[in-house]
């Protein structure tokens, strides 16, 4: 006889009413629709990977159940090793959907514990898309900085052997949204926040068109914020400061136009499953849509330089928006990130710190932790 050995997680107890609400909203016709089913499957999959080879046949083969029970064995955490059903390989899409629908921070912390175990025993669980979903949700709870610091501390991140361009694109996108929300005008702020995104993955600095587009997101946002700050009389910028930012934008604009290749898709085919395809394009759409929005917010005299870029991206953006309308979706990822993300308020004392350049950082804001201080880039 197989036993499902599971204790109710503390985060589930803390958030029972929230989960009940979500169940009512989503509907549950059978056990397959359980909110926690995919999370449980991921945990079970990691547990199986954590077992030694000799234990797997004993735990997951029914004929060995009595023998295993008679052994009174315990795992590395002191839990009884009992017969279990094979978990199967978890669905990436379902796990991402679970993360996207997290309602309270306690559930996010529970996912972090799962990630920590997966990073040691089942790295294949931590796909770029899963990591990005975790980062996006952390921004919604106002803990993007601390969670990003935690991510940077993962052994496989430091070894440069797992995380890559897609994660860097998402990190820069979130920093651009933070700059938008906090009205950032400092170039050093950008340097400090982005350097770790590349520090452990130097090969990705110029690997993708979306990395250059995300950089354009953040630097055009700085330019918008500077124009607004000067117009309101809050700040003044020296000609050299303006020239540096203009040069930076020109650099990434040239890189993007050289690297970008139009996405290949059949409109007719994609319209057969509009909602699914709308979701499929959300990563690229978010980065490119924010760029389009920023360009439109710049003074008219600065917009002509972006004409070729807009000619490149507008057809794709229009296609994704048509998919969204046809699929009757509940808004885009970018809409969610802009409206729900919260970041620490940028204080004057922070601005003074930025003047010091790229010296060390404060733990908990996506900067260097104590163990990383002094590392050379």
């Amino acid at each position: 006889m197989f036993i499902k050995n599971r204790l109710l997680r503390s985060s589930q107890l803390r958030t029972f009413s929230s989960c009940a609400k979500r169940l009512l909203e989503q509907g549950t016709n059978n056990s397959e629709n359980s909110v926690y089913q995919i999370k449980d499957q991921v945990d079970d999959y990691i547990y199986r990977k954590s077992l030694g080879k000799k234990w797997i046949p004993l735990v997951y083969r029914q004929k060995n159940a009595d023998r295993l029970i008679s052994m009174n064995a315990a795992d590395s955490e002191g839990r009884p090793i009992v017969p279990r059903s094979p978990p199967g390989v978890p669905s990436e899409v379902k796990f991402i959907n679970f993360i996207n629908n997290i309602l309270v921070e306690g559930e996010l912390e529970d996912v972090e514990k799962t990630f920590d175990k997966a990073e040691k025993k089942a790295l294949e669980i931590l796909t770029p898309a899963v990591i990005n979903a975790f980062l996006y949700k952390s921004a919604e709870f106002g803990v993007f900085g601390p969670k990003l610091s935690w991510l940077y501390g993962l052994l496989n991140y430091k070894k440069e052997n797992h995380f890559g361009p897609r994660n860097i694109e998402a990190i820069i996108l979130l920093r651009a949204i933070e700059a938008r929300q906090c009205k950032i005008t400092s170039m050093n702020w950008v340097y400090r926040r982005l350097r770790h995104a590349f520090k452990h993955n130097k090969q990705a600095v110029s690997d993708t068109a979306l990395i250059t587009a995300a950089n354009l997101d953040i630097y055009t946002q700085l330019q918008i914020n500077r124009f607004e700050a000067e117009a309101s009389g809050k700040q003044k910028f020296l000609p050299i400061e303006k020239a540096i930012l203009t040069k930076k934008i020109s650099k990434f604009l040239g890189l993007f136009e050289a690297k970008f290749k139009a996405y290949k898709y059949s409109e007719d085919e994609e319209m057969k499953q509009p909602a699914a395809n709308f979701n499929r394009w959300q990563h690229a759409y978010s980065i490119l849509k924010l760029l389009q929005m920023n360009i439109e917010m710049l003074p008219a005299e600065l917009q002509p330089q972006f004409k070729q870029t807009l000619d490149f991206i507008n057809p794709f953006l229009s296609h994704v928006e048509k998919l969204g309308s046809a699929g009757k979706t509940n808004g885009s990822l970018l809409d969610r990130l802009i409206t729900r993300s919260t970041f620490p308020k940028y204080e004057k004392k922070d601005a003074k710190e930025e003047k010091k350049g790229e010296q060390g950082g404060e733990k908990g804001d996506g900067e260097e932790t104590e163990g990383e201080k002094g590392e050379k880039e």
Side-chain angles (χ1 to χ4, degrees):
M1 179 178 67
F2 275 65
I3 302 169
K4 186 73 170 179
N5 182 38
R6 181 165 313 286
L7 297 176
L8 191 64
R9 290 182 290 273
S10 60
S11 63
Q12 288 174 277
L13 291 170
R14 291 196 303 270
T15 62
F16 180 79
S17 60
S18 296
C19 296
K21 178 182 177 182
R22 180 165 57 196
L23 282 167
L24 288 171
E25 291 174 347
Q26 295 179 344
T28 54
N29 296 322
N30 53 53
S31 61
E32 291 297 311
N33 290 325
S34 170
V35 169
Y36 285 97
Q37 185 183 39
I38 182 60
K39 175 63 167 54
D40 290 344
Q41 185 185 10
V42 170
D43 288 336
D44 285 344
Y45 178 83
I46 297 169
Y47 181 82
R48 185 183 188 280
K49 297 277 286 191
S50 71
L51 291 173
K53 289 184 179 179
K54 74 170 186 177
W55 291 105
I56 291 177
L58 291 170
V59 173
Y60 295 101
R61 291 182 185 172
Q62 189 171 4
K63 66 180 182 179
N64 296 325
D66 291 339
R67 180 185 170 193
L68 178 62
I69 292 172
S70 69
M71 295 171 69
N72 290 321
D75 63 23
S76 60
E77 297 181 15
R79 297 171 300 184
I81 298 179
V82 297
R84 292 173 179 244
S85 298
V89 179
S91 162
E92 179 193 42
V93 172
K94 289 182 180 179
F95 192 32
I96 289 171
N97 187 57
F98 171 82
I99 296 170
N100 288 343
N101 285 288
I102 285 175
L103 296 174
V104 293
E105 191 177 341
E107 293 178 302
L108 189 68
E109 292 170 356
D110 198 30
V111 169
E112 183 178 329
K113 293 174 184 176
T114 294
F115 278 19
D116 192 52
K117 292 178 181 178
E119 204 258 342
K120 297 178 178 69
K121 301 296 182 180
L123 190 58
E124 64 273 18
I125 290 292
L126 301 184
T127 65
V130 167
I131 287 291
N132 285 352
F134 176 80
L135 291 175
Y136 294 148
K137 183 57 66 170
S138 73
E140 290 186 34
F141 288 119
V143 292
F144 171 60
K147 298 308 180 188
L148 185 57
S149 290
W150 170 79
L151 173 64
Y152 287 152
L154 292 179
L155 180 63
N156 281 288
Y157 190 97
K158 291 183 177 180
K159 286 183 176 178
E160 305 182 35
N161 66 356
H162 189 66
F163 305 104
R166 191 174 176 90
N167 298 125
I168 292 172
E169 293 158 5
I171 290 167
I172 302 174
L173 171 65
L174 286 168
R175 289 303 190 188
I177 293 171
E178 181 178 6
R180 175 191 180 99
Q181 185 179 114
C182 299
K183 304 296 182 183
I184 303 298
T185 59
S186 168
M187 290 282 284
N188 276 331
W189 182 93
V190 177
Y191 297 149
R192 286 163 60 87
R193 268 57 180 186
L194 296 191
R195 64 176 177 170
H196 266 69
F198 298 108
K199 185 171 184 176
H200 301 294
N201 201 327
K202 297 177 178 65
Q203 298 303 315
V205 171
S206 57
D207 274 354
T208 73
L210 287 180
I211 283 179
T212 60
N215 272 285
L216 283 171
D217 285 345
I218 199 165
Y219 286 115
T220 53
Q221 188 63 60
L222 253 65
Q223 198 161 46
I224 292 166
N225 295 345
R226 285 186 174 188
F227 280 117
E228 291 177 351
E230 284 200 315
S232 64
K234 292 180 179 179
Q235 282 181 279
K236 284 283 187 180
F237 299 94
L238 298 173
I240 185 64
E241 293 177 298
K242 296 178 181 179
I244 291 172
L245 179 53
T246 298
K247 184 177 179 180
K248 185 69 73 172
I249 290 173
S250 296
K251 171 190 170 182
F252 283 111
L253 191 58
L255 285 171
F256 176 75
E257 292 176 353
K259 289 179 174 295
F260 181 78
K261 294 181 180 179
Y263 294 106
K264 295 180 180 180
Y265 51 81
S266 166
E267 291 191 18
D268 291 339
E269 285 299 313
E270 295 223 326
M271 277 297 179
K272 292 178 181 177
Q273 293 183 302
N277 286 310
F278 175 80
N279 290 332
R280 182 170 72 92
W281 289 116
Q282 283 309 291
H283 178 75
Y285 175 83
S286 298
I287 293 168
L288 298 177
K289 182 64 178 180
L290 183 58
L291 178 56
Q292 181 198 62
M293 291 165 59
N294 283 359
I295 291 170
E296 292 174 351
M297 291 176 67
L298 289 170
E301 63 270 19
L302 296 181
Q303 292 185 20
Q305 66 180 312
F306 297 99
K307 182 181 184 303
Q308 186 174 357
T309 291
L310 290 175
D311 288 343
F312 284 164
I313 68 176
N314 281 348
F316 168 72
L317 296 177
S318 177
H319 169 67
V320 176
E321 286 158 8
K322 288 177 182 176
L323 291 174
S325 297
K328 298 180 180 179
T329 56
N330 295 321
S332 68
L333 169 64
L334 182 62
D335 292 335
R336 177 162 63 90
L337 293 177
I338 288 176
T339 58
R340 299 184 188 177
S341 297
T342 58
F343 301 94
K345 188 176 180 181
Y346 189 63
E347 305 287 355
K348 289 183 178 179
K349 63 181 179 66
D350 298 319
K352 291 179 181 178
E353 283 296 311
E354 301 302 342
K355 296 293 183 182
K356 297 178 182 179
E358 296 187 44
Q359 308 264 327
E362 291 186 11
K363 185 176 179 180
D365 192 30
E367 296 288 335
E368 290 176 319
T369 59
E370 288 297 321
E372 294 173 312
K373 285 183 180 178
E375 265 187 66
K376 300 295 184 183
E377 291 196 50

